[in-house]
Amino acid sequence: LVLTVVQTILLRLVGLPWYDALITAFGAAGTGGFSNRAASIGAYGSPAVEMITAVFMVLFGINFNVYFFLLIRHFKEAFACEEMRVYLGVIAASTLAVAGNIFHLYGNVWQSLRYSFFQVASIITTTGYATTDFNMWPTFSKAVLVLLMFCGSCSSSTGGGIKCARVLILLRILRREVRRIAHPRCVEVIKMDGRVVESSTIRGTLVFLGCYMLILLAAGLIISLDGYSFSISFSSALASLSNVGPGLELVGPTGNFSLLSPLSKLTMSLCMVTGRLEIFPILVLFSRAVWRHT
């Protein structure tokens, strides 16, 4: 509530009407990306509006437990959050990489960083706001944005996607298994924020990632029946499952999903609900054992 109110006031101070400021703040707070302008945030053409919105998208993508620790003045625990550091590090690295890749399109460093930071923040937090058509960007920049769609924001935030915590756990699992191959007798535990990650959490993370990929591939396969390109079919499924919004090409930031078939739209609707509920509740809902038990 506090973050939403602060963002609304800041947007009003830089020239947005109260109505537009509220809509934009609500869209950032819920990382939903809804705008009352067809051109999204790009309609305002204001660097101040873009930077305020981008910063608050990033803030809403941070684990809210960090804010709780800050409120109770446990600053050490707040800044010790590894997921937050990875999240902010990915944003910084992606912004610089994309800015360098699109520099030739805009001609100066400020413009490149401006558009890069906003789109990186919008995609990794799964908000979906846009200030430019990133379909016109080089393939490398679009590939970075697709990877950010997978990653998503922090756990216990308003964002979607796989979540940075799961990605971090997966990388540490891979590192442990590689070390076990080299040193079969070594014993290594996986830790997050200095605490040992329970085996049940590791198992749940791997099952979640497996289910995520299977649902993504199945949805992409169904959408491909419409006959559009692989990038359109795949990005439509990914943007829906990760709750991002815009995909690539036809379904990019300046396009929409209206040309897709009713079957594809139904598939994407199910993906959006499944991704928002973190997959497992939907799988339980369709489990025969659960209904039999009830």
Side-chain angles (χ1 to χ4, degrees):
L1 177 61
V2 171
L3 287 172
T4 305
V5 170
V6 171
Q7 185 185 357
T8 303
I9 294 172
L10 290 176
L11 290 172
R12 181 68 184 91
L13 291 175
V14 296
L16 260 63
W18 279 115
Y19 182 72
D20 289 41
L22 279 168
I23 292 288
T24 303
F26 289 155
T31 58
F34 176 79
S35 175
N36 58 318
R37 300 299 183 99
S40 190
I41 304 301
Y44 303 111
S46 169
V49 171
E50 293 170 17
M51 289 304 101
I52 291 170
T53 306
V55 168
F56 275 86
M57 285 191 292
V58 172
L59 292 177
F60 281 112
I62 290 176
N63 190 318
F64 272 52
N65 291 319
V66 172
Y67 298 133
F68 173 72
F69 284 131
L70 290 175
L71 284 173
I72 63 175
R73 299 186 179 183
H74 287 193
F75 301 113
K76 185 177 179 181
E77 288 89 340
F79 294 110
C81 179
E82 292 182 81
E83 183 185 26
M84 180 185 68
R85 296 204 299 269
V86 169
Y87 168 71
L88 296 177
V90 168
I91 291 175
S94 300
T95 298
L96 293 174
V98 172
N101 190 234
I102 64 175
F103 176 78
H104 68 282
L105 296 176
Y106 298 102
N108 66 72
V109 174
W110 159 244
Q111 288 288 84
S112 300
L113 287 173
R114 169 188 170 186
Y115 291 115
S116 173
F117 175 57
F118 188 92
Q119 290 308 146
V120 165
S122 177
I123 296 301
I124 194 171
T125 60
T126 68
T127 305
Y129 278 141
T131 55
T132 186
D133 185 6
F134 53 74
N135 273 321
M136 307 304 294
W137 288 0
T139 303
F140 173 80
S141 295
K142 290 187 286 187
V144 170
L145 294 181
V146 169
L147 291 175
L148 294 179
M149 290 182 188
F150 276 106
C151 181
S153 54
C154 298
S155 56
S156 298
S157 73
T158 60
I162 291 175
K163 300 295 194 312
C164 290
R166 291 192 179 100
V167 175
L168 187 56
I169 290 174
L170 176 63
L171 293 175
R172 291 184 175 176
I173 292 172
L174 292 174
R175 183 184 65 182
R176 184 182 68 175
E177 295 307 310
V178 169
R179 287 182 178 177
R180 281 183 173 177
I181 293 173
H183 307 283
R185 295 186 179 182
C186 78
V187 177
E188 181 180 348
V189 294
I190 294 172
K191 293 185 177 181
M192 281 280 288
D193 299 333
R195 299 177 181 176
V196 176
V197 179
E198 298 291 337
S199 58
S200 58
T201 302
I202 294 174
R203 183 176 63 253
T205 299
L206 294 175
V207 171
F208 177 90
L209 292 171
C211 291
Y212 183 96
M213 294 307 300
L214 288 173
I215 294 171
L216 175 62
L217 293 173
L221 187 63
I222 294 172
I223 297 171
S224 69
L225 292 173
D226 285 359
Y228 293 109
S229 68
F230 173 79
S231 60
I232 292 175
S233 302
F234 178 77
S235 65
S236 295
L238 178 58
S240 300
L241 188 58
S242 288
N243 303 128
V244 178
L248 298 176
E249 297 183 20
L250 180 68
V251 295
T254 59
N256 55 64
F257 299 91
S258 61
L259 293 179
L260 298 182
S261 68
L263 176 61
S264 293
K265 292 173 184 174
L266 177 61
T267 300
M268 289 186 293
S269 298
L270 291 173
C271 283
M272 286 187 280
V273 174
T274 301
R276 185 71 274 179
L277 293 177
E278 298 268 305
I279 296 178
F280 290 129
I282 296 297
L283 296 181
V284 171
L285 181 66
F286 288 101
S287 171
R288 292 177 59 189
V290 172
W291 287 100
R292 243 194 330 261
H293 177 72
T294 303

